[in-house]
Amino acid sequence: MQKPKGTYDIYGDKALEMLYFRKLAETLMNKYNAKYFETPIFESSSLFHRGVGETTDIVTKETYDFKDRGNRDLTLRPEGTAGIVRSFIENKLYADSLPLKAWYLGPMFRYERPQSGRFRQFFQFGVEVFGVSSPIMDAEVISMIVNLFGLLGLKGVKVNINTLGDSESRDSYRNALLDYFKPHLNDLCDDCKNRYEKNPLRILDCKVDGEKEIMKSAPKMIDYLNEESKNHFDEVLKYLDEMNIEYVINPKIVRGLDYYTHTVFEVEADIEGFGSQNVLGGGGRYNNLVENIGGPATAGVGFAIGLERLFLALDKEGIDIKELVRPDIYIISMGENYKALSLANMLRLNGFNVEMDYNNRNFKNNFKHADKLMVKFIIIVGEEEVKNGILTIKDNDSKEEYKIKYDDLIDFFDKKIGDNDEDYV
Ligand code: HAM
């Protein structure tokens, strides 16, 4: 038996990355007072048709649709926003005091051609904020991505930002596009001919026609913005400037989903040889989506990043998550297993990550094993150590040796490894 095309198993280093990322995301999200959400992996198909948009590639070509045994039309979620919005409405969360900042992390499903950085089951980390129409939240949401990448030490990233304006601006832009593309209709691919009728903005985003000459002189959204939309965008940029967040205004960013209004952005990997799937994450404002799905008019803004692409970027920059989650201490027991286990227990309760020798390996193999685990310190528990209560500790990086009294151990490791917030005792 083999896994389905475009999927992968998570274990070993991938599992480490995933768990490390989840923890980092949770810690960062707490700093923004964002709340964790989990919504079903499948939803009514109509939610995505209405939410993501009938004419998008995602809905027309990429969804996993099925009927359950009760003949209901269901779809594996291709993205997280529509489900969170459904939950926001169904649970009447709009009645609580807003804003609500929701974050989520989980698998999404799209029937796309698998390649490096593109899967059929992939993981997204995302945030959706409800109840703030001011540009301040567009900027805060962008700061979340930038800070997340900063915490991971990722440097080669570029924030591309654009605006699609409000409905009025979008209508006049739409008309300008219709006029512009009308004489060129025969030069466009079949999908774009269809998009011309239903959603001409999507033509700019076409993977087939996107690079053609006619795209270069197509009308630009920025020239069709009304006063309010222009002000909104200018304000977002001012907030970003004030936070020293660098960005590039890129009129080509239209996004592959229909729900956006005003600000849209994509963060791309700016790393040599990264490959074509270089958009690590994207998002924007969606002021009409809650209402379109049947809730009260509520402003929304959010983003999602693809974890496979993020991990690929870390890899390309030589950032090894294994280095960040090294076990603190490895205990070698020279036959003194009772002492060794109780010592491991005590150290764990004081917040340290401890692994030990359970199989009475010989000295040489123990050191080899400790190296393989990349442990920071080794404690040797032998007869002599038990008798006089002084332990031999080896710094596995510098190879320095220390003799430390049992009672001074925690102090010693707090100083060497860092006091841990997770002490349980
Ligand atoms: P999206 O641009 O469709 O936006 O997806 C966000 C990210 O998910 C992409 O930038 C990419 O990193 C990752 N991704 C998408 N498809 C795949 C795939 N087949 N394989 C691997 N990674 C993939 C959304 O999904 C919106 N819901 C974002 C959002 C939230 N907008 C507002 N709130």
Side-chain angles (χ1 to χ4, degrees):
M1 294 292 265
Q2 287 186 337
K3 60 189 178 302
K5 200 171 162 190
T7 67
Y8 63 95
D9 298 320
I10 299 177
Y11 62 92
D13 289 357
K14 279 204 177 74
L16 261 185
E17 281 179 337
M18 191 59 95
L19 289 177
Y20 180 80
F21 179 84
R22 178 178 280 277
K23 205 164 162 187
L24 188 80
E26 182 181 344
T27 307
L28 184 69
M29 287 299 99
N30 284 340
K31 303 206 189 306
Y32 287 90
N33 190 31
K35 312 290 184 207
Y36 181 66
F37 270 64
E38 231 170 87
T39 60
I41 279 171
F42 56 87
E43 298 264 5
S44 300
S45 302
S46 59
L47 172 67
F48 299 112
H49 287 249
R50 259 208 274 171
V52 175
E54 299 277 7
T55 61
T56 57
D57 277 359
I58 295 179
V59 164
T60 54
K61 299 182 193 158
E62 296 171 5
T63 48
Y64 280 88
D65 302 310
F66 62 101
K67 273 192 195 293
D68 73 2
R69 288 165 199 270
N71 214 28
R72 297 174 190 89
D73 286 309
L74 299 170
T75 294
L76 296 184
R77 62 183 186 192
E79 58 104 51
T81 312
I84 299 281
V85 170
R86 197 255 325 121
S87 169
F88 176 76
I89 299 168
E90 193 170 344
N91 296 302
K92 300 193 172 54
L93 302 180
Y94 49 78
D96 296 345
S97 69
L98 297 179
L100 170 68
K101 302 177 190 176
W103 74 274
Y104 54 93
L105 193 164
M108 308 292 160
F109 306 85
R110 295 185 194 176
Y111 190 80
E112 291 193 272
R113 196 169 53 76
Q115 54 176 269
S116 168
R118 196 203 268 159
F119 296 85
R120 289 184 173 169
Q121 174 172 339
F122 59 97
F123 281 77
Q124 276 188 352
F125 158 69
V127 175
E128 313 296 346
V129 183
F130 299 100
V132 183
S133 53
S134 150
I136 193 168
M137 195 50 80
D138 310 41
E140 177 162 305
V141 152
I142 293 173
S143 82
M144 291 176 182
I145 306 196
V146 171
N147 290 343
L148 186 72
F149 290 171
L151 282 175
L152 286 162
L154 193 64
K155 298 210 169 59
V157 285
K158 190 163 107 187
V159 179
N160 288 292
I161 184 165
N162 189 24
T163 177
L164 303 178
D166 59 9
S167 311
E168 186 188 87
S169 310
R170 220 148 33 140
D171 280 349
S172 55
Y173 183 49
R174 188 190 137 92
N175 289 334
L177 286 177
L178 289 176
D179 289 347
Y180 176 80
F181 283 117
K182 197 166 188 182
H184 301 292
L185 264 181
N186 286 334
D187 302 329
L188 298 178
C189 72
D190 286 347
D191 276 343
C192 280
K193 286 187 184 114
N194 200 18
R195 289 176 185 130
Y196 181 85
E197 302 294 332
K198 294 185 174 152
N199 188 352
L201 241 84
R202 213 22 20 86
I203 298 176
L204 303 169
D205 192 33
C206 176
K207 286 165 196 141
V208 181
D209 290 336
E211 295 306 316
K212 287 188 181 157
E213 241 355 86
I214 39 166
M215 297 297 165
K216 296 205 176 111
S217 39
K220 301 213 167 14
M221 182 72 225
I222 212 115
D223 300 322
Y224 294 84
L225 293 176
N226 59 17
E227 189 74 11
E228 200 196 321
S229 300
K230 195 166 173 341
N231 286 343
H232 185 98
F233 192 51
D234 288 345
E235 287 274 305
V236 175
L237 303 184
K238 261 200 233 160
Y239 280 113
L240 292 176
D241 290 339
E242 194 63 35
M243 286 189 283
N244 294 321
I245 291 178
E246 287 178 26
Y247 54 83
V248 175
I249 299 173
N250 182 346
K252 277 174 84 176
I253 305 288
V254 293
R255 309 277 301 131
L257 307 96
D258 274 353
Y259 43 65
Y260 296 107
T261 53
H262 292 288
T263 319
V264 285
F265 55 88
E266 283 181 357
V267 182
E268 69 179 43
D270 200 8
I271 304 170
E272 273 269 313
F274 189 79
S276 58
Q277 301 304 311
N278 67 341
V279 182
L280 304 180
R285 182 165 276 287
Y286 46 85
N287 284 350
N288 304 325
L289 182 60
V290 176
E291 207 174 1
N292 286 347
I293 294 184
T298 310
V301 55
F303 70 85
I305 61 176
L307 297 196
E308 293 76 11
R309 292 183 197 178
L310 171 63
F311 296 150
L312 199 63
L314 291 176
D315 196 41
K316 293 265 184 220
E317 285 205 346
I319 299 167
D320 187 353
I321 286 187
K322 270 212 301 294
E323 294 273 344
L324 305 174
V325 292
R326 295 171 58 185
D328 294 323
I329 300 161
Y330 183 73
I331 302 177
I332 298 180
S333 149
M334 306 307 292
E336 299 291 340
N337 287 350
Y338 294 107
K339 287 285 172 212
L341 186 63
S342 89
L343 178 62
N345 196 44
M346 185 279 283
L347 290 167
R348 286 175 182 143
L349 289 174
N350 278 282
F352 298 102
N353 311 337
V354 185
E355 181 57 300
M356 62 175 282
D357 169 33
Y358 301 97
N359 292 327
N360 295 327
R361 288 184 169 87
N362 67 33
F363 222 54
K364 200 171 129 210
N365 285 343
N366 255 325
F367 276 101
K368 254 201 221 154
H369 188 62
D371 275 347
K372 208 166 147 201
L373 296 175
M374 297 168 69
V375 301
K376 296 177 193 160
F377 287 89
I378 296 169
I379 305 182
I380 298 154
V381 185
E383 212 178 302
E384 199 51 28
E385 281 78 6
V386 172
K387 209 160 52 187
N388 57 25
I390 295 180
L391 296 156
T392 306
I393 298 172
K394 191 166 175 182
D395 182 325
N396 206 28
D397 293 329
S398 70
K399 306 294 173 201
E400 242 171 291
E401 255 188 37
Y402 302 86
K403 299 277 182 194
I404 305 289
K405 282 211 228 83
Y406 183 90
D407 289 344
D408 297 338
L409 266 186
I410 300 302
D411 257 9
F412 174 82
F413 284 125
D414 275 350
K415 283 200 191 92
K416 287 284 180 191
I417 298 173
D419 195 2
N420 203 317
D421 288 345
E422 290 171 25
D423 290 5
Y424 298 107
V425 290

